[in-house]
């Protein structure tokens, strides 16, 4: 499946697709032109390191921290996303005791990569307040306003990708969900999550955290992915996130095949 279609022309009423998907027991509808408009992507990186965190072990026996591996995977994501369409822009948020907007939107991925290189593990906090995160995002962006979003292509869409790495701390909306709900109800805002965790056990809260993160997908159009300490799967998931949110299928319908050449 191609990550994006390169065509970025406008849509006529006949070209604007009515997309209906079955998401669990709910029918999810989205009336949007399925075009490759520029994305403004907010990368949210959790830098908290919990006691007892294990490392990624590669095939050659070398070991690396979770933060190191996610920084490497994000770097490849930035390079490939920019190569697909140089109009895409990226911003960087650090998730620790409170979220920090570290770098504003830029279409130069090297600026984000430079900031990523400087990130270091931080002592894990006892809580993760998602209200603060989405309040921060709402203050930094201005969602497109289209009189007829089913026909008129937006100048851009916003996508937040949260890279969450804790196995003991359940993220919560301690300040309420009003801002989150406002954002997620926009046809031009998308949320994806990549959860990197320890092996689930009775000693951690991985399953509960993943269930909560899945619950953030109130529209059925998010990708919520998870990986334990598997470097290949981590990079494959970042490859899945390259797909444009206006052009990709729902997560449950994603299917990759390798076609041979006759």
């Amino acid at each position: 499946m191609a990550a994006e279609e390169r065509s970025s022309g406008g849509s006529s009423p006949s070209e604007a697709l009515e997309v209906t998907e079955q998401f669990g027991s709910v029918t999810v509808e989205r009336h949007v032109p399925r075009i490759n408009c520029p994305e403004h992507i907010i990368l949210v990186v959790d830098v908290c390191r919990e006691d007892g965190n294990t490392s990624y072990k590669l095939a050659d026996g070398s070991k690396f921290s979770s933060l190191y591996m996610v920084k490497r995977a994000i770097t490849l994501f930035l390079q490939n996303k920019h190569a697909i369409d140089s109009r895409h822009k990226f911003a960087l948020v650090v998730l620790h005791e409170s979220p920090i907007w570290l770098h504003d939107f830029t279409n130069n991925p090297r600026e984000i990569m430079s900031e990523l290189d400087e990130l270091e593990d931080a002592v894990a906090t006892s809580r993760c307040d998602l209200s603060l995160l989405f309040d921060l995002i709402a203050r930094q962006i201005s969602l497109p306003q289209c009189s007829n979003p089913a026909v008129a292509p937006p100048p851009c869409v916003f996508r937040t990708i949260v890279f969450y790495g804790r196995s003991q701390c359940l993220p919560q909306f301690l300040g309420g969900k009003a801002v989150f709900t406002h954002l997620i109800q926009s046809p031009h805002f998308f949320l994806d999550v990549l959860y990197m965790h320890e092996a689930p056990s009775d000693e951690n809260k991985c399953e509960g955290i993943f269930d909560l993160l899945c619950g953030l997908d109130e529209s059925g159009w998010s990708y919520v992915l998870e990986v334990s300490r598997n470097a290949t799967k981590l990079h494959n998931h970042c490859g899945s996130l390259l797909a444009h949110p206006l052009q990709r299928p729902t997560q449950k319908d994603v299917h990759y095949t390798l076609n041979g050449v006759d």
Side-chain angles (χ1 to χ4, degrees), residues 30-50:
R30 174 157 286 187
H31 304 269
V32 289
R34 305 193 73 175
I35 64 163
N36 176 22
C37 64
E39 280 192 78
H40 289 189
I41 300 174
I42 304 164
L43 302 165
V44 181
V45 181
D46 183 13
V47 297
C48 287
R49 180 179 178 85
E50 297 174 317

Side-chain angles (χ1 to χ4, degrees), residues 48-155:
C48 287
R49 180 179 178 85
E50 297 174 317
D51 292 338
N53 271 20
T54 58
S55 302
Y56 283 79
K57 185 176 181 180
L58 305 187
D60 62 1
S62 57
K63 296 182 179 180
F64 298 96
S65 71
S66 178
L67 181 60
Y68 174 88
M69 292 302 298
V70 75
K71 290 196 298 183
R72 191 171 81 166
I74 292 174
T75 295
L76 291 173
F77 171 86
L78 289 166
Q79 292 172 336
N80 285 295
K81 192 68 176 176
H82 180 73
I84 292 169
D85 192 333
S86 61
R87 298 175 301 163
H88 295 320
K89 293 185 178 182
F90 311 93
L92 181 61
V93 173
V94 171
L95 193 60
H96 188 226
E97 185 172 359
S98 60
I100 300 171
W101 190 274
L102 195 61
H103 199 292
D104 205 5
F105 289 107
T106 175
N107 61 358
N108 183 355
R110 292 183 179 275
E111 295 179 14
I112 304 297
M113 290 156 55
S114 178
E115 296 282 6
L116 283 172
D117 287 341
E118 300 297 321
L119 294 184
E120 297 181 352
D121 288 316
V123 177
T125 59
S126 60
R127 66 180 191 175
C128 175
D129 188 353
L130 294 178
S131 298
L132 294 177
L133 173 61
F134 290 101
D135 287 352
L136 173 65
I137 291 171
R139 292 195 301 269
Q140 296 289 336
I141 69 174
S142 180
L143 292 171
Q145 300 295 323
C146 297
S147 58
N148 189 350
V151 177

Side-chain angles (χ1 to χ4, degrees), residues 29 46 74 114 134 160 181 183 228 237 240 253:
E29 294 187 0
D46 183 13
I74 292 174
S114 178
F134 290 101
T160 295
T181 300
L183 290 172
S228 187
H237 281 337
S240 299
D253 292 326

